[in-house]
Amino acid sequence: MKISHIEHIGIAVPNLEEAIKYYENALGLKCYKKEVVEDQKVTTAFFQVGDTKIELLEATSPESTIAKFIEKNGGRGGMHHLAFAVEDGVAEALAEAEDKGIKLIDKAPRKGADGLNIAFLHPKSTEAVLTELCEDPAKK
Ligand code: ZN
């Protein structure tokens, strides 16, 4: 696979509005988009930092993986996943990863937030960091 850059860093937060205040007021970043992703039971908020985005994730349901992550983390948020932009496409990258014996969470690309096609690799195979692969279909 051909990774061009870190597309975003996903950060789980217990309270999205409080978290946005920190990123805007303390760091001077601007939230350019908020989006509910029904599929993942989260509300996301995005900040652009150079080529990379910060993706804040707040659970919309106790069954959300983000709610479970925060519960395991003693009610606190924290870094949740690392997302790479792949130039040769997510489907191709998944096939290659599977060939190399990497455990996949998603067997096929699906729709993520901010218009991206995404897929997750399993942290058991990725040195314990939940890893997302992304492509922007608008840039293909
Ligand atoms: Zn993500």
Side-chain angles (χ1 to χ4, degrees), residues 71-136:
E71 198 186 305
K72 267 195 217 157
N73 204 28
R76 290 183 309 274
M79 198 186 139
H80 181 257
H81 65 272
L82 185 59
F84 294 106
V86 289
E87 282 181 350
D88 43 357
V90 173
E92 293 82 347
L94 280 179
E96 188 187 326
E98 195 167 31
D99 271 356
K100 289 179 175 167
I102 303 295
K103 202 171 169 215
L104 309 180
I105 291 176
D106 299 304
K107 295 272 179 198
R110 56 188 165 102
K111 282 262 162 276
D114 214 20
L116 300 175
N117 294 331
I118 63 140
F120 283 96
L121 305 180
H122 200 286
K124 277 195 173 128
S125 293
T126 60
E127 300 295 324
V129 176
L130 178 60
T131 300
E132 181 180 351
L133 303 174
C134 316
E135 67 183 333
D136 186 345

Side-chain angles (χ1 to χ4, degrees), residues 17-65:
E17 291 314 314
E18 285 301 314
I20 288 171
K21 270 188 216 159
Y22 162 70
Y23 283 88
E24 291 197 329
N25 299 339
L27 301 186
L29 298 170
K30 182 91 196 93
C31 174
Y32 69 87
K33 184 191 235 181
K34 273 200 263 179
E35 184 183 350
V36 175
V37 186
E38 294 291 353
D39 195 37
Q40 294 168 52
K41 300 186 174 69
V42 292
T43 306
T44 58
F46 286 95
F47 302 84
Q48 192 77 46
V49 188
D51 281 346
T52 302
K53 303 166 193 163
I54 300 289
E55 177 188 54
L56 302 181
L57 302 135
E58 180 191 56
T60 57
S61 148
E63 287 103 69
S64 164
T65 55

